[in-house]
Amino acid sequence: RGFGVCAVSRNYALEASLKHTVLWGLPELRGIENCMPESERGSAAKLGDKAEYEDARAKAKRFVQEKYGLKQDPDARIFVFLGRWVKQKGVDYIADVTEWMLGT
């Protein structure tokens, strides 16, 4: 008898728990959204309040826009996907919402 399983996200944990009968007998199937320890998350983990966080976020957005020659727009949305372009990583979900994302 197993103790449980950790999946790469809550959504994947739910999907796997419904789909794979071998997991049904486990006491727990947990999704971990960010498996990196808090101590290794860099400066974002060290920001004290919302104002500091928002300032750091705005600076990061400006940096990305400048680095990649994007329009300088503090209200622009930046979407980043870091992973393999395979269905297992959820790119089918990205494809499903791409038209909506570009139109909003």
Side-chain angles (χ1 to χ4, degrees):
R1 181 159 165 83
F3 295 100
V5 171
C6 286
V8 296
S9 71
R10 286 189 288 267
N11 286 342
Y12 189 70
L14 176 60
E15 179 184 332
S17 71
L18 296 173
K19 185 189 251 184
H20 303 294
T21 57
V22 70
L23 302 174
W24 292 357
L26 294 175
E28 185 173 12
L29 182 56
R30 180 186 306 172
I32 300 175
E33 295 300 321
N34 190 340
C35 60
M36 183 181 293
E38 190 75 30
S39 63
E40 297 177 15
R41 292 188 192 175
S43 61
K46 297 179 182 102
L47 297 173
D49 61 21
K50 186 175 180 180
E52 283 182 272
Y53 170 78
E54 294 296 334
D55 183 55
R57 187 174 175 195
K59 286 177 184 175
K61 182 182 278 189
R62 273 192 307 277
F63 173 80
V64 168
Q65 290 172 334
E66 290 171 8
K67 181 173 176 87
Y68 295 102
L70 301 173
K71 178 182 170 187
Q72 300 293 299
D73 181 357
D75 297 321
R77 295 181 192 167
I78 297 177
F79 176 82
V80 176
F81 173 81
L82 182 63
R84 291 179 288 129
W85 281 90
V86 295
K87 186 173 181 179
Q88 179 186 24
K89 297 294 184 182
V91 295
D92 53 325
Y93 296 126
I94 296 170
D96 289 345
V97 299
T98 298
E99 186 175 349
W100 170 81
M101 286 190 322
L102 293 172
T104 61

